[in-house]
């Protein structure tokens, strides 16, 4: 089995979509654990329902970001992880985890990077008035939504769109593109066919 860990902070629709794709396609991939910095987040409940181990603590329980990430690292080291998959994880990953997992941490962003990085990629693209936005899957390098791009998919902004309609279409694209991109990475590593 190829073990992956998912980091999330909120709703967890990408987490659920990944779990579903893995099951439906009978992939030799196991979501070994969920790491969540918001114990009350819906994603925690979803992981419990699926029987996926959860580590959930708030940053403020720790002295600083480094000790927080060291605690996460201790949890992650229980598993022989191939990838760390950020899916709506609202904290910057720092050197503790980046150093322990080089070339192993991926993120998904709801815009065509390097345009519209940050927390409000969908709203920012909509407000700017671009006609095409999209979704980016990329490696993590310690910046905010920077790092080499693995895959992108364009999503047009339609004349009668509002932010909610656009967000729905972006999320639908995310849910397939993330799984496809992870498979692409694992194929390149010759871990799956
Ligand atoms: C997604 O739009 C993702 O691109 C961004 O955070 C959002 C998470 O949504 N990084 P969900 O929690 O997976 O529903």
């Amino acid at each position: 089995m190829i073990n992956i860990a998912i980091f999330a902070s909120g709703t967890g629709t990408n987490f659920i979509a990944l779990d579903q794709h893995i099951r439906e396609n009978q992939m030799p991939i196991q979501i070994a654990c969920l790491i969540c910095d918001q114990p009350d987040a819906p994603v925690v409940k979803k992981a419990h329902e699926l029987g996926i181990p959860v580590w959930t603590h708030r940053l403020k329980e720790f002295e600083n970001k480094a000790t927080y990430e060291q605690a996460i690292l201790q949890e992650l080291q229980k598993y022989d992880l191939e990838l760390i998959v950020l899916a709506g994880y609202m904290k910057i990953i720092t050197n503790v985890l980046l150093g322990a997992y080089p070339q192993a941490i991926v993120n998904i962003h709801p815009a065509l990077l390097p345009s519209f990085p940050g927390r409000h990629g969908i709203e920012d693209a909509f407000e700017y008035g671009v006609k095409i936005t999209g979704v980016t899957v990329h490696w993590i390098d310690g910046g905010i939504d920077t790092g080499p791009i693995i895959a992108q998919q364009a999503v047009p902004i339609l004349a009668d769109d509002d932010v909610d309609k656009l967000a729905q279409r972006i999320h639908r694209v995310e849910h397939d593109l993330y799984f496809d991109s992870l498979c692409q990475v694992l194929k390149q590593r010759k871990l799956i066919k």
Side-chain angles (χ1 to χ4, degrees), residues 10-15 87-88 107-110 171 174:
T11 323
T13 63
N14 279 283
F15 169 79
N107 184 41
I108 189 161
H109 182 74
H171 291 314
E174 287 187 323

